């Protein structure tokens, strides 16, 4: 009897071991059904690791980095055993199909699998898609379905969570406020996510607007992996308002004009297949509305401009938690949302399997057209680079490198092209320092979209900005030429090694790197000065804003002072100019009061409820990751007069501030400014100042006056045209040329013009007294982007950038977002000017 019991025990242990060695469903692994709880990232990672361990011949996990908060980023590659064993060969052959390899091996279409990439949870609080990724993974691999046949013809890449920091911010908050049973009432606390919400990443960036620019670590790391594979189909899974039904392709107009007939055709096929499943299950959906294919930095457009079929799927569900009552009285649950996303995931793979050969042949054709330059009306883009623009040019080259775009340098030849500054055909010279970009290259389609001077719109009702051309964003002169402009390869760069000096250094104020070096020197306690006007010394000419590091006033640091400055500059690769005397050839001597002390400002930034989290994030990220200068984030709701004593500069990003509503706090801020404080206001903060007694006034909207011959019925609006009527007074984002007063410290480091991206209808009068109109929009029309016909005439002779004088302090006014999504590189130095320089 004992022997029998012992054998049974051994058998039980054996069966348990066998069961544990089998592939578990998400529910079996997690201990709860998918959709009944929100799964934190570490458990999602654990499930993917379990699947990879149980099916190593069909799944390979590839880590591609970590988030700002240290969470792992990874994808799972799922395919047949034979494909998993030869992934590198498949990857290289796919790149050869696109002409993206240096080797001369001929690619083959025969037996090449279709590559499908599924990206989930780019917005952290759109939480259903990560749950759906686990369901999709399991369904692909479990026994008893025909998906094994799909995997013999496809390689599937699953990124379960693009934004783990944002997702865990939401999941941890939600799990901390939900009870033992979820409350479906829309007003319940669990549906009122606090600021900043989980949508964005650590620095409050919207990662779905960052595909092309790659300003964030998650985007940069992901795109490195993406460009090693270049899939044929890419889907970006999202959620929208919880009252909305499901959205899937085909997309809405406007489509960018370079989108191919095949890319449109496949979207139609996808839509029909999805509709079949949704109709069968009685699920509502919509297509061809709201979500267009234009702005190049989305998870659908960037893949589309890279030869793939790029698509967005949107499930209703933001703020829905585990369940919420929607407007028709039904309760939408997380279980429902997961089921919808899992269904479109598998339906996408089904259609891709069906069209696999066409996907591959059309992908190859796309890149053949790119190599022939067929996606652009131009043959060359030429970016002019002045000596003081080298840092901006280097930033542009970094953008091109990140996107695999090839370029060269001018050879001194003359050519003709469209001048971005005037939108007129003009002659120019492509000099040796100028960047020349041919449109006959593999990434020509993406290049065209990122560089085109004017984007053509098939429909003005678009989801995002309508202008973004890189030369405007980087503040560089450029030409789009229909001629093939000769170019040569980039010269071999040499490391900067600065000269020794016994008197001091001049640091040209030419970009953020120079500002970062200056900030580092200030933090170490060095005494610096800056020139308010141009000067010449030792036979060299310097522009206004040049920073001086002199032995005078820094003798307490000893003999090693200047060598330490030299070392820091060498590390940052900043060119210093050794100077031997304070007696200048032209301009003001270094002891003049026009060569002013530069002090280390203590900088504060208001954040929290009422303030745009993305606007705060742009500034926080800039100071923390690019300028490397300390900034204190204050909670806007509790900020008070006592906090003002601890800062010299206060930045108010786009938002509505309680501090500007009450008279007592307004008086405290004004007193602080009069005593020398500097207030920097952007966008909505400027609008709020314009409502009070601060010296800035909104411009009144002009009205048409000649109405004697007009038809009175023409002014009557049709209900069905209400959205179109709204567009007449609207701009989603268009570019204007701003004329600068280059003698003012806010414009130090700039030329005569700055390009601003205007995204609202707010306009302001010129500052009449006690201030300076540093940047103004004159009579010129916008250079690029959609502007409604009633709004366009309003944006003339208006203030764009200004500074109000108040006692010993100032208020700097940026009416637009000068750091927009961190890709508007031209505005970053201007924010540095507002922080470091004074005009009193």
């Amino acid at each position: 009897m004992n022997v029998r019991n012992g054998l049974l025990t051994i058998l039980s242990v054996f069966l348990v071991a066998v069961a544990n060695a089998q592939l578990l469903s998400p529910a079996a692994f997690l201990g709860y059904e998918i959709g009944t709880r929100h799964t934190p990232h570490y458990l999602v990672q654990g499930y993917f690791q379990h699947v990879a361990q149980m099916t190593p011949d069909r799944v390979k996990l590839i880590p591609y980095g970590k988030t700002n908060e240290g969470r792992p980023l990874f994808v799972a590659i799922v395919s047949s055993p034979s494909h998993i064993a030869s992934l590198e060969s498949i990857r290289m052959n796919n790149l050869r199909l696109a002409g993206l390899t240096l080797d001369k091996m001929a690619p083959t279409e025969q037996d090449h699998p279709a590559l499908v990439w599924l990206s989930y949870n780019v917005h952290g609080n759109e939480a259903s898609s990560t749950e759906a990724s686990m369901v999709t993974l399991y369904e692909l691999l479990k026994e008893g379905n025909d998906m094994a046949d799909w995997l013999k013809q496809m390689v599937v890449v699953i990124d379960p969570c693009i934004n783990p920091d944002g997702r865990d911010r939401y999941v941890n908050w939600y799990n901390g406020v939900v009870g033992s049973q979820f409350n479906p009432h829309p007003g319940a606390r669990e549906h009122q996510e606090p600021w900043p919400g989980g949508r964005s990443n650590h620095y409050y960036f919207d990662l779905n607007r960052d595909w092309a620019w790659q300003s964030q670590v998650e985007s940069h790391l992901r795109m490195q992996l993406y460009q090693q594979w270049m899939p044929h189909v890419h889907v970006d899974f999202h959620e929208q308002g919880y009252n909305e039904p499901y959205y899937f392709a085909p997309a809405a107009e406007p489509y960018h004009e370079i989108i191919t007939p095949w890319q449109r055709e496949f979207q139609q096929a996808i839509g029909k297949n999805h509709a079949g499943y949704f109709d069968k299950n009685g699920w509502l959906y919509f297509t061809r509305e709201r979500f267009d294919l234009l702005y190049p930095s989305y998870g659908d457009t960037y893949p589309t401009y890279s030869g793939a079929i790029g698509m967005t799927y949107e499930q209703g569900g933001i703020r829905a938690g585990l369940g919420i009552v929607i407007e028709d009285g039904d309760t939408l649950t997380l279980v429902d949302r997961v089921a919808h996303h899992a269904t479109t995931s598998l339906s996408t793979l089904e259609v891709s399997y069906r069209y696999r050969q066409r996907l591959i042949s059309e992908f190859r054709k796309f890149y053949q057209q790119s190599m022939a330059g067929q996606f652009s009306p131009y043959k060359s883009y030429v970016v002019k680079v002045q000596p003081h623009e080298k840092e901006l040019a280097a930033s542009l080259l970094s953008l091109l490198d990140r996107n695999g775009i090839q370029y060269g340098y001018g050879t001194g030849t003359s050519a003709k092209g469209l001048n971005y500054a005037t939108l007129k055909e003009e002659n120019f010279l492509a000099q040796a320092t100028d960047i020349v970009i041919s449109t006959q290259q593999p990434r020509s389609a993406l290049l065209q979209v990122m560089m085109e001077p004017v984007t053509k719109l098939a429909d003005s009702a678009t989801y995002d900005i309508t202008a973004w051309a890189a030369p405007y964003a980087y503040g560089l002169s450029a030409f789009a030429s229909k001629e093939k402009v000769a170019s040569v390869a980039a010269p071999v760069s040499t490391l900067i090694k600065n000269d020794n000096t016994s008197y001091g250094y001049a640091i040209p104020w030419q970009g953020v790197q120079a500002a970062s070096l200056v900030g580092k020197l200030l933090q170490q306690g060095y005494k610096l000065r800056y020139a308010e006007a141009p000067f010449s010394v030792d036979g060299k000419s310097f522009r206004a804003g040049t920073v001086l590091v002199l032995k005078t006033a820094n003798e307490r640091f000893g003999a090693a002072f200047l060598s330490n400055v030299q070392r820091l500059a060498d590390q940052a690769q900043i060119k210093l100019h050794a100077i031997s005397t304070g007696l200048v050839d032209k301009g003001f001597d270094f002891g003049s009061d026009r060569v002013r002390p530069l002090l280390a400002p203590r900088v504060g930034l208001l954040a929290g409820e009422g303030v745009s989290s993305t606007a705060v994030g742009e500034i926080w990220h800039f100071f923390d990751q690019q300028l490397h200068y300390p900034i204190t984030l204050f909670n806007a709701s509790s900020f008070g007069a006592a906090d003002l004593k601890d800062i010299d500069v206060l930045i108010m990003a786009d938002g509505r501030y309680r501090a500007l509503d009450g008279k007592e706090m307004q008086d405290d801020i004004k007193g602080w400014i009069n005593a020398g404080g500097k207030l920097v206001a952007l966008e909505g903060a400027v609008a709020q100042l314009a409502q009070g007694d601060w010296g800035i006034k909104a411009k009144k909207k002009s009205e048409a006056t000649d109405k004697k011959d007009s038809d009175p019925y023409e002014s009557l609006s049709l209900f069905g045209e209400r959205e179109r009527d709204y567009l007449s007074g609207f701009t989603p984002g268009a570019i204007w040329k701003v004329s600068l007063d280059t003698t003012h410290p806010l414009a130090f480091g700039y030329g005569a013009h700055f390009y601003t991206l205007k995204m609202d209808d707010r306009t302001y009068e010129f500052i009449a007294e006690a201030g300076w109109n540093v940047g103004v929009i004159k009579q010129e029309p916008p250079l690029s982007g959609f502007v409604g016909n009633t709004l366009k005439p309003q944006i003339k002779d208006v203030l764009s950038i200004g500074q109000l004088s108040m006692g010993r302090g100032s208020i700097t006014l940026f009416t637009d977002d000068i750091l927009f999504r961190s890709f508007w590189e031209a505005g970053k130095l201007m924010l540095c000017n507002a922080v470091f320089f004074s005009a009193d």
Side-chain angles (χ1 to χ4, degrees), residues 33 90 167 185 367 445 450 468 483 618 651 728 791 808:
E33 293 293 332
I90 292 171
R167 177 180 170 81
H185 192 290
Y367 279 94
M450 293 175 68
W468 51 77
E483 303 174 16
E618 289 168 359
I651 302 176
S728 66
L791 177 59
R808 293 192 291 114

Side-chain angles (χ1 to χ4, degrees), residues 75-112:
V75 299
I77 298 184
V78 187
S79 195
S80 66
S82 62
H83 289 335
I84 291 295
S86 57
L87 280 180
E88 183 61 13
S89 297
I90 292 171
R91 185 184 73 83
M92 289 300 297
N93 186 65
N94 196 61
L95 294 181
R96 291 186 191 105
L97 288 171
L100 291 170
T101 61
L102 296 178
D103 64 45
K104 302 300 182 182
M105 291 182 63
T108 176
E109 294 183 26
Q110 186 176 2
D111 299 326
H112 185 69

Side-chain angles (χ1 to χ4, degrees), residues 741-754:
D741 172 6
T742 57
T743 67
H744 192 280
L746 279 180
F748 284 173
Y750 288 83
H753 300 105
F754 172 78

